[in-house]
Amino acid sequence: MGRPGLQIHMICDKYGTHKHANVKKWLAKHPRFHLHFIPISSWLNLVERWFRDLTDKAIRRGVFHSVNDLIAAIEDYLKVNNDNPKPFVWTATAEQISPRSPADGSPSSKWKVNNETLH
């Protein structure tokens, strides 16, 4: 099972659980796993970027009279996206991203993830 010599590098945000004592203890026992923490906030996490788009385009300012209405709005958004998917594409190199982080935590103009309009 697995490839023991393979080094595994995981990109994590700075969420506290990633630095918990139990995680550190596990990592000490499994030295082929390496955590790398992204320099700033969640804008760098593409999954969170996708959920931001879902929120902005399908949920925010919506009026949902029931959970079923909310589910329908999300499913409609998913259908539109799945009919014409657009990948998120990095436009910066790793060298441009790490470890330079603006003092205010906002994305640098050099750190961009492009995603064409999904609708």
Side-chain angles (χ1 to χ4, degrees):
M1 173 165 356
R3 294 171 40 193
L6 182 65
Q7 299 295 304
I8 299 176
H9 295 265
M10 299 179 285
I11 309 301
C12 303
D13 60 17
K14 292 184 178 180
Y15 192 58
T17 58
H18 299 141
K19 297 179 181 181
H20 188 275
N22 290 344
V23 173
K24 290 179 180 181
K25 183 177 174 182
W26 187 90
L27 288 168
K29 291 179 182 178
H30 301 87
R32 71 187 191 119
F33 290 86
H34 307 276
L35 298 187
H36 302 278
F37 296 96
I38 57 176
I40 58 176
S41 63
S42 64
W43 70 270
L44 200 52
N45 181 332
L46 296 184
V47 171
E48 291 190 33
R49 298 274 313 232
W50 187 88
F51 277 104
R52 180 208 59 198
D53 288 350
L54 168 67
T55 299
D56 288 348
K57 296 175 182 175
I59 299 173
R60 184 169 288 127
R61 294 187 203 88
V63 176
F64 309 104
H65 297 286
S66 68
V67 171
N68 287 337
D69 288 348
L70 174 60
I71 291 170
I74 292 170
E75 288 176 344
D76 289 345
Y77 178 81
L78 293 173
K79 180 174 180 352
V80 168
N81 279 284
N82 289 338
D83 287 345
N84 188 22
K86 303 277 190 230
F88 288 95
V89 180
W90 286 106
T91 60
T93 66
E95 291 77 21
Q96 289 172 313
I97 294 171
S98 181
R100 289 170 262 159
S101 169
D104 66 358
S106 63
S108 163
S109 61
K110 293 181 182 178
W111 306 347
K112 295 192 186 293
V113 176
N114 287 339
N115 179 261
E116 296 189 21
T117 303
L118 300 175
H119 296 310

